[in-house]
Amino acid sequence: MLVDSHCHLNKEFFDNIDKLREDAFKSRVGMYISAADSLSSCYEMLELASLYEDIYIALGIHPEHCNDDYDEYENILISNLNNKKLVAIGEIGLDYYYGKDNKEQQIKIFERQLALAEKYNMPVVVHSRDATLDTIECLKKYKVKGVIHCFSGSLQTALEYIKMGFYIGVGGVMTFKKANIKEVIKEIPLDRILLETDSPFLTPEPYRKYRNEPKYIRIIAEYLANIMNIDIAEVSKVTRKNVKDVFDI
Ligand SMILES: [Zn+2]
């Protein structure tokens, strides 16, 4: 069985979760961690988790939504600390791709959530785009662990994150023809890798013209097995254990 350790099963992307799970099951995908990115999606994820036993969730405010009502978010999180389906704080982080105009606000919201993660001993799901140095600086201020989702940096950066106790999230991007991230990923120890689709985004080759879905985690696992020159059964077994270790499921 494979796990999609990072997807966004929001209604606006997927209106038929039963069908999505059925299709994923045919590809032997049997567990999901669906991440919120905004205040409204936190409510959506909580509802989803209450309806499906194989869907676990992360609750967080993504840098793109760093102006959402933070206090309300924190209240939701704290009132769900005993919810067994809530396994992480995420996705949170820094994103300077569209500019650094609101950098201070992004850092403030990121750090507040890191402080929460430290206080309640929860793993974090980190989004970092064009912001590696600031991300590392923020993470170093708190005693937190988790995953660097959709990793796209150098091997040196990956190893630094690993040294800090993080796992590396790997998905469809490595299958893209021009992506040299595959050269980095094949050097990362398998016991620090989490497989993710980031559905509905970043569909792996050769399905890029379709919307991404958790069923494609199989394609990602096969691709990883291929570039690492190991058996897919090994990829499946080790990455499943990694999910258990990170999220304590
Ligand atoms: Zn994501």
Side-chain angles (χ1 to χ4, degrees):
M1 203 239 329
L2 289 159
V3 180
D4 187 354
S5 75
H6 186 107
C7 51
H8 301 278
L9 303 183
N10 308 45
K11 276 194 200 86
E12 64 171 306
F13 307 128
F14 301 106
D15 57 9
N16 191 340
I17 297 291
D18 291 309
K19 172 84 167 63
L20 175 144
R21 287 167 62 249
E22 230 169 77
D23 291 344
F25 194 72
K26 285 182 199 150
S27 295
R28 298 180 59 85
V29 181
M31 192 196 283
Y32 316 81
I33 298 173
S34 184
D37 63 347
S38 63
L39 182 59
S40 63
S41 66
C42 285
Y43 289 107
E44 243 191 275
M45 292 308 118
L46 283 165
E47 191 194 340
L48 204 58
S50 72
L51 293 173
Y52 298 97
E53 65 172 343
D54 49 5
I55 300 180
Y56 291 80
I57 56 168
L59 297 182
I61 304 288
H62 185 282
E64 271 178 43
H65 297 278
C66 61
N67 291 318
D68 283 8
D69 186 335
Y70 182 81
D71 293 331
E72 188 175 338
Y73 160 74
E74 196 169 302
N75 285 335
I76 300 173
L77 187 95
I78 290 170
S79 57
N80 277 282
L81 286 173
N82 291 324
N83 182 340
K84 284 196 171 61
K85 303 303 279 301
L86 171 61
V87 295
I89 291 184
E91 89 178 66
I92 63 175
L94 301 174
D95 193 327
Y96 299 160
Y97 182 75
Y98 301 105
K100 296 184 181 180
D101 301 354
N102 65 348
K103 184 177 145 170
E104 269 75 47
Q105 176 69 4
Q106 286 195 33
I107 290 177
K108 182 175 131 192
I109 296 304
F110 184 32
E111 289 207 18
R112 287 183 76 173
Q113 293 177 96
L114 291 174
L116 270 184
E118 182 183 77
K119 182 171 176 189
Y120 297 110
N121 197 20
M122 289 182 79
V124 288
V125 177
V126 177
H127 168 105
S128 175
R129 185 154 63 153
D130 296 343
T132 302
L133 292 179
D134 283 359
T135 302
I136 290 176
E137 204 172 298
C138 290
L139 290 174
K140 280 191 168 159
K141 290 191 205 164
Y142 302 88
K143 254 215 242 130
V144 288
K145 287 180 179 173
V147 55
I148 309 299
H149 127 78
C150 194
F151 179 75
S152 63
S154 66
L155 181 60
Q156 191 196 348
T157 304
L159 296 176
E160 179 159 6
Y161 281 131
I162 289 171
K163 217 164 77 186
M164 290 162 67
F166 282 85
Y167 286 69
I168 305 296
V170 161
V173 175
M174 69 178 165
T175 70
F176 299 174
K177 280 192 185 70
K178 282 187 186 152
N180 30 27
I181 189 69
K182 56 173 102 34
E183 300 304 322
V184 171
I185 287 167
K186 67 181 187 192
E187 303 298 328
I188 297 173
L190 185 61
D191 64 0
R192 304 304 288 196
I193 287 180
L194 296 187
L195 300 180
E196 60 173 54
T197 61
D198 204 16
S199 298
F201 315 109
L202 305 170
T203 315
E205 290 283 10
Y207 301 101
R208 279 183 83 177
K209 62 178 174 200
Y210 302 107
R211 185 183 51 189
N212 203 1
E213 287 191 37
K215 67 179 176 187
Y216 292 129
I217 205 81
R218 167 148 301 270
I219 304 294
I220 290 164
E222 281 168 359
Y223 192 90
L224 186 68
N226 223 323
I227 61 171
M228 286 189 154
N229 207 7
I230 52 177
D231 202 84
I232 182 160
E234 177 77 0
V235 169
S236 170
K237 189 180 90 185
V238 176
T239 55
R240 206 169 54 222
K241 180 181 181 298
N242 295 348
V243 167
K244 275 181 111 179
D245 291 348
V246 175
F247 300 106
D248 197 21
I249 296 177

